[in-house]
């Protein structure tokens, strides 16, 4: 069911990790500079949004694995 899928979703821990990191770093640009840039994620303003860890940025598998 949809309810079961949401419960098992990896998006929930991904969102918690991003939000905790954002709280500690103080800004989305700091999160990008300290973590995402090192993993080859594109420099885009999308990282400032709460939905960022849910995959809203267009990043190919190749870009993710080259980090």
């Amino acid at each position: 069911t949809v309810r079961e899928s949401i419960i098992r979703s990896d998006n929930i821990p991904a969102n918690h990790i991003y939000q905790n990191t954002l709280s500690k770093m103080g800004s989305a640009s700091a999160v990008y500079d300290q973590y995402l840039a090192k993993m080859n994620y594109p420099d885009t303003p999308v990282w400032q949004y709460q939905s960022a860890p849910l995959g809203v940025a267009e990043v190919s598998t190749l870009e993710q694995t080259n980090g």
Side-chain angles (χ1 to χ4, degrees):
T1 68
V2 173
R3 184 180 305 256
E4 291 168 340
S5 296
I6 291 172
I7 290 170
R8 290 191 312 258
S9 174
D10 289 336
N11 289 340
I12 294 168
N15 187 45
H16 288 168
I17 290 167
Y18 182 77
Q19 294 303 319
N20 287 340
T21 306
L22 186 60
S23 296
K24 291 177 185 176
M25 300 299 291
S27 73
S29 62
V31 173
Y32 179 81
D33 293 340
Q34 294 296 315
Y35 296 100
L36 300 172
K38 294 176 184 177
M39 295 184 285
N40 273 351
Y41 281 84
D43 187 7
T44 173
V46 75
W47 304 119
Q48 67 183 319
Y49 301 111
Q50 188 170 359
S51 59
L54 305 180
V56 298
E58 293 186 25
V59 180
S60 72
T61 304
L62 180 62
E63 289 173 315
Q64 292 180 26
T65 56
N66 279 336

